[in-house]
Amino acid sequence: MICVVIKKKGEVTFICNRSRMEYSELINKLEQKRKVVVKRICFSIGFVALGLAIGWLINRDFGYAVGGIVGFIVAIVLISEGFDKYKKVFKNQFMPLVVNKTGLDLKYVHKQGIPKEMVISSRLFKKPDRYIKEDLMYGTLDGVNFMSSDVHMQDKRVTRDSKGRRRVRYDTFFRGRWFVYEFNKSFNGIIQVREEFFKSHPWGLKVEKIKLEDVEFNRKFNTYATNQHDAFYVLTPTLMENIKKLERKFPGSIYFSFIENQLHIAIYHSKDSFEPPVFSKLDESLINELVSDIVVLQEIVNELKLNRKIFK
Amino acid sequence: MEPIYIFLIILGVIGFFILIWVISSYNSLKSAKIKVNEAESGIDVALTKRFDVLTKMVDTVKGYAKHEKETLEKVIALRNSVHLNNASIKEKQDISNQMDEAMRAINVIVEQYPDLKANENFKQLQVSISDVEEHLQAARRVYNSNVSNYNHKVQLFPSNIIASMFHFEAQEFFIAEEYKRNDVEINF
């Protein structure tokens, strides 16, 4: 398959010669499934209302509560069954087509993600009690090996209520997209660049706070490193400029960790990537949006010049 | 209590706080100066490495050099005569500039001789010099950052009082040639 990338006024469009039939058939199939989900949501509202009404007629004291709960359970089963089917087709059939459409050398696996140990090795966040990952993309871009996935990390909190009953709760401390790239400079130790309102340190490491010569960069980010020289060696003026540019592109907080010839980029935006739309139509604009989300992988390589290999 | 004792106690408290301030200002200046010295050692290490790789490069291209011979010989002579530990930051800057000149001369030679460009040993040296250049740039930026921090303390009130009392003097920056201020990207 040959794809042509057209960049016009910041918009990226991909024209491929893959059979457009395949696309339209799949989009139609997905549209039907999406409509089924929407219909089921409407029916569900009706079921809950019906449950409430019947319950109220049977027993006016607590009947409506029982009826409401029964209606709600039916609604949940109905919606999730339809949505699961729709999501399965979207992730397993449609997403690989979108990935192909970008023309980039990468693979997509819906139910996998970056291994937990790799994420922990970045020392950006503490070890999670619950680790959820999905939407793995991996491959080689301009000779740079990479991996990217959605990551959701939670902390377990055990509390006791007034009656002494034990309650377990999971609090999210990171939810967003995680990228791992091969990095082109060798050094010992670790360097972290953290964009955050409340200062937090790299996890479990003895580091010093580094003040670089770029005032704007220092205002936006907190930089930590095991030694000052490594930080200045890796964070060149050009790289700092490009990190600022990258930060402007992404909503939410962005974190960088340079460790063991790897660059970890974590974007905390509390969203799941590549999710099928329910209330909006599946059309070209959505496909272009998905494609742009994937092309970001290449843009990071270009912006941070990760493909510059004069040191190896 | 007698007013004179009250006066003496107040004087003692003020004196105590002044002493604390003098000690902390002195320590802060001293540690900033130590950081400057450490950063200067970083420059020495980077310059020494650059000298070593450059000497190897000069040895490799010597046979090809005609017009640039003098520039290259100057670098070798410099290597044998200079002791970086005793040199001032200005002298180190001059040494670095002369190495830049030698590097430019080597580039001219490499452009003229494609077989040299294809030489595996020389290619390896090119990779090494790029890395060394990056480290020198980093060492220079670390030094300037630490000098800037130290000079602020030496020149700004009230720490400048302690600086002048204990003869802390402002330090010179390591100024790179204009083209060197950008990231190192040597393309042979």
Side-chain angles (χ1 to χ4, degrees), chain A residues 185-186 208 211-213 228-229 232-233 235-240 305 308 310-312, chain B residues 35 126-127 130-131 134-136 138-139 141-142 145-146 181-187:
Chain A
K185 279 185 181 177
S186 296
E208 56 177 309
K211 215 173 145 193
L212 292 136
E213 63 270 66
Q228 206 185 4
H229 181 86
F232 279 80
Y233 172 59
L235 297 166
T236 61
T238 311
L239 189 65
M240 283 193 279
K305 292 186 177 152
R308 201 178 130 217
I310 60 167
F311 302 99
K312 284 189 174 177
Chain B
K35 284 199 107 180
Q126 286 174 337
V127 174
S130 298
D131 194 31
E134 281 268 337
H135 277 290
L136 179 60
R141 287 169 55 220
V142 170
S145 163
N146 291 348
R181 288 184 192 171
N182 302 320
D183 288 355
V184 178
E185 192 155 5
I186 301 169
N187 298 310

Side-chain angles (χ1 to χ4, degrees), chain A residues 178-241:
Chain A
W178 201 286
F179 304 87
V180 184
Y181 288 94
E182 188 188 350
F183 190 59
N184 52 10
K185 279 185 181 177
S186 296
F187 60 94
N188 298 317
I190 187 166
I191 299 147
Q192 285 195 4
V193 177
R194 307 169 73 98
E195 182 203 15
E196 52 203 346
F197 186 69
F198 297 107
K199 280 183 190 173
S200 67
H201 286 79
W203 193 249
L205 280 172
K206 204 180 166 206
V207 285
E208 56 177 309
K209 188 158 187 332
I210 307 290
K211 215 173 145 193
L212 292 136
E213 63 270 66
D214 186 330
V215 181
E216 196 194 343
F217 187 87
N218 290 336
R219 211 182 298 130
K220 267 190 171 145
F221 304 104
N222 295 313
T223 307
Y224 300 93
T226 33
N227 75 69
Q228 206 185 4
H229 181 86
D230 281 352
F232 279 80
Y233 172 59
V234 169
L235 297 166
T236 61
T238 311
L239 189 65
M240 283 193 279
E241 252 342 289

Side-chain angles (χ1 to χ4, degrees), chain B residues 2-32:
Chain B
E2 292 291 321
I4 184 74
Y5 291 128
I6 295 169
F7 176 72
L8 283 175
I9 289 169
I10 292 170
L11 209 66
V13 169
I14 293 171
F16 175 75
F17 281 112
I18 290 175
L19 186 70
I20 296 286
W21 171 73
V22 169
I23 293 170
S24 71
S25 295
Y26 177 84
N27 283 344
S28 160
L29 278 159
K30 196 78 189 162
S31 68

Side-chain angles (χ1 to χ4, degrees), chain A residues 128-132 152-156 170-173:
Chain A
D129 292 318
R130 187 188 270 171
Y131 181 82
I132 304 155
H152 189 176
M153 291 191 279
Q154 292 177 316
D155 221 5
K156 189 179 174 183
Y170 285 91
D171 293 339
T172 296
F173 61 86

